[in-house]
Amino acid sequence: MASFTLLSSFSSAKKNTLISSFSSSSSLYRTSLALKRTRPPNSVINCEINEPVNEKPTVPIINDVILPTFLQAKCLENAVNRDNTKLNPKLKLFSGTANPSLSEEIAWNMGHELEKITIKRFADGEIYIQLQESVRGCDVFLIQPTCPPANENLMELLVMIDACRRASAKNITATQNRQSIAAKLVGNVITEAGADRVIACDLHSGQSMGYFDIPVDHLQCQPVITDYLASKKISSNDLVVVSPDVGGVARARAFAKKLDAPLAIVDKRRQEHNLAEVMNLIGDVKGKVAVMVDDMIDTAGTICKGAELLHEEGAREIYACCTHGVFSPPAIELLSSGLFEEVITTNTIPVMDRHYFPQLTVLSVANLLGETIWRVHGDRSVSSIFQ
């Protein structure tokens, strides 16, 4: 099922913007203002496993604050000048209920504040939304992933967009995470609700941008993950990037180019009906650290079967990387079985406590999304973030 993070923004005249969210590109973009701030009070920004609360572990989220100094310096290169809330009264950030922790971190990275909004449900399940701030003539960004429960979160987003449109917001921007075959229908509904632009993070298929009749900025989380891997200082001679299937070759190739590493491909094919799939490896992984890359991990069947093949072919260590950690059963059982040295994902989709396992690492994309919001608000280039 599709998962969307909608970040809606309102700006001048009759223009509404929808932003889709899937991850970032280069090391991200901290300004001197951001470096002077202390850490956000409600976010987890460390590499260590936190003490369990009521015997339930809290999933740690790694922010670029804790990355090595040389990576933090790179974050400053492409950042635009940012002012605080008082100096940008026409920029409004609202959060839905799907991923409030990501919304708070985005606002903190921007030096901004989340606006007040009332969201509640009547006894029959109907959604009630009331804006507690004036948005007349403002650029409004609605941060609301359509992660599970997808239908509930999508309807909440649509009501938020409608509320902002009726309150005379200038532009509406929404953020989406990933797309399913129903993406065209969802795109139509979001457009009709009043969104003007979409910012999408790591769409499952690049062609999905054509499903929308409004502008789409497609963000990629690759740099967030590659920066984290770079902090491990694994020699490129020991590294190989692996696509878990033929359909992900383009994604893995771009990833390998960033890491200056060779590429390998897991090729699976069914020779005849009613016969098991035959898996072959194209490339060499013997004695190397293999990094498997995909846009999302759902049930983890494909990536785990690929990892088994890599072990058979002599891979020394295996890392699994994805932007969207959906983790539908039996994903947690498979991913924590010892196949992987580390499973790396991002917080485009909130990772539930019940999905925690020791090998899991969650990287934050809040800085990337915050930088993108500033650029959309200031009519600046978004693509230059990744150059």
Side-chain angles (χ1 to χ4, degrees):
M1 169 153 290
S3 171
F4 300 94
T5 301
L6 285 160
L7 178 78
S8 291
S9 114
F10 298 2
S11 218
S12 67
K14 292 183 178 179
K15 191 181 172 187
N16 295 349
T17 304
L18 176 75
I19 300 179
S20 264
S21 136
F22 284 162
S23 223
S24 105
S25 124
S26 58
S27 341
L28 283 168
Y29 329 108
R30 298 186 60 80
T31 64
S32 56
L33 172 64
L35 289 170
K36 291 178 182 177
R37 293 197 300 273
T38 57
R39 292 177 178 178
N42 298 323
S43 66
V44 181
I45 320 176
N46 58 55
C47 296
E48 303 300 325
I49 304 305
N50 293 341
E51 292 296 323
V53 179
N54 297 327
E55 300 183 350
K56 293 174 64 179
T58 300
V59 180
I61 299 177
I62 296 178
N63 189 284
D64 58 336
V65 172
I66 55 85
L67 290 178
T69 305
F70 79 96
L71 289 178
Q72 289 188 16
K74 288 170 61 180
C75 294
L76 300 175
E77 293 176 359
N78 297 323
V80 299
N81 293 327
R82 309 173 183 182
D83 298 318
N84 60 24
T85 305
K86 293 180 180 179
L87 297 181
N88 282 274
K90 292 298 184 180
L91 190 154
K92 304 288 186 180
L93 301 178
F94 289 94
S95 174
T97 60
N99 198 348
S101 60
L102 176 60
S103 303
E104 291 173 2
E105 193 179 353
I106 290 172
W108 176 81
N109 272 277
M110 295 178 65
H112 215 75
E113 296 178 357
L114 290 174
E115 309 299 334
K116 295 179 181 178
I117 184 173
T118 299
I119 303 176
K120 59 184 179 181
R121 284 161 174 78
F122 294 110
D124 63 354
E126 182 182 350
I127 299 171
Y128 170 82
I129 291 178
Q130 183 179 30
L131 305 179
Q132 301 297 318
E133 308 280 348
S134 172
V135 297
R136 182 178 294 274
C138 296
D139 281 331
V140 179
F141 292 80
L142 305 179
I143 307 171
Q144 170 70 355
T146 57
C147 50
N151 293 341
E152 187 77 8
N153 289 331
L154 175 60
M155 180 55 68
E156 183 177 308
L157 170 70
L158 296 175
V159 177
M160 291 172 71
I161 293 174
D162 182 69
C164 292
R165 181 177 62 83
R166 294 178 184 277
S168 302
K170 239 185 183 180
N171 283 343
I172 308 172
T173 303
T175 306
Q176 293 185 309
N177 284 345
R178 57 188 184 86
Q179 304 258 2
S180 74
I181 196 65
K184 175 60 177 173
L185 173 61
V186 172
N188 289 341
V189 172
I190 290 172
T191 303
E192 289 301 317
D196 295 316
R197 191 179 195 87
V198 175
I199 298 176
C201 285
D202 279 340
L203 294 171
H204 186 62
S205 171
Q207 294 92 317
S208 298
M209 292 187 290
Y211 294 160
F212 292 88
D213 296 326
I214 53 180
V216 178
D217 292 310
H218 188 193
L219 304 183
Q220 299 172 347
C221 288
Q222 231 178 52
V224 174
I225 299 175
T226 54
D227 283 354
Y228 174 73
L229 290 173
S231 71
K232 293 181 174 294
K233 299 181 180 178
I234 303 171
S235 170
S236 59
N237 294 327
D238 296 331
L239 198 63
V240 58
V241 175
V242 182
S243 174
D245 53 38
V246 175
V249 170
R251 183 183 305 109
R253 184 188 295 116
F255 205 90
K257 185 177 180 181
K258 289 282 186 181
L259 294 175
D260 191 24
L263 176 68
I265 305 167
V266 175
D267 176 36
K268 57 181 182 181
R269 60 185 70 186
R270 194 180 299 274
Q271 303 290 359
E272 297 180 19
H273 295 297
N274 301 322
L275 290 181
E277 289 180 331
V278 177
M279 303 188 74
N280 301 298
L281 181 66
I282 304 172
D284 180 26
V285 299
K286 188 173 182 179
K288 295 190 175 185
V289 177
V291 178
M292 303 187 74
V293 181
D294 212 342
D295 63 322
M296 71 175 181
I297 297 177
D298 191 358
T299 61
T302 297
I303 201 165
C304 286
K305 288 180 181 177
E308 291 173 356
L309 177 62
L310 297 183
H311 277 296
E312 293 172 5
E313 296 291 331
R316 189 170 83 234
E317 293 177 354
I318 303 176
Y319 290 79
C321 303
C322 73
T323 299
H324 314 295
V326 182
F327 300 151
S328 302
I332 303 305
E333 179 182 350
L334 294 174
L335 294 172
S336 61
S337 64
L339 287 170
F340 300 101
E341 181 75 14
E342 191 172 2
V343 177
I344 303 167
T345 187
T346 74
N347 60 344
T348 56
I349 295 176
V351 180
M352 302 294 103
D353 285 353
R354 65 179 180 273
H355 289 161
Y356 170 81
F357 54 96
Q359 297 92 339
L360 179 65
T361 297
V362 182
L363 305 177
S364 175
V365 296
N367 210 1
L368 168 68
L369 292 174
E371 178 68 22
T372 302
I373 291 172
W374 277 120
R375 288 173 182 253
V376 171
H377 176 63
D379 293 326
R380 291 182 170 93
S381 169
V382 172
S383 61
S384 62
I385 293 175
F386 307 101
Q387 296 174 356

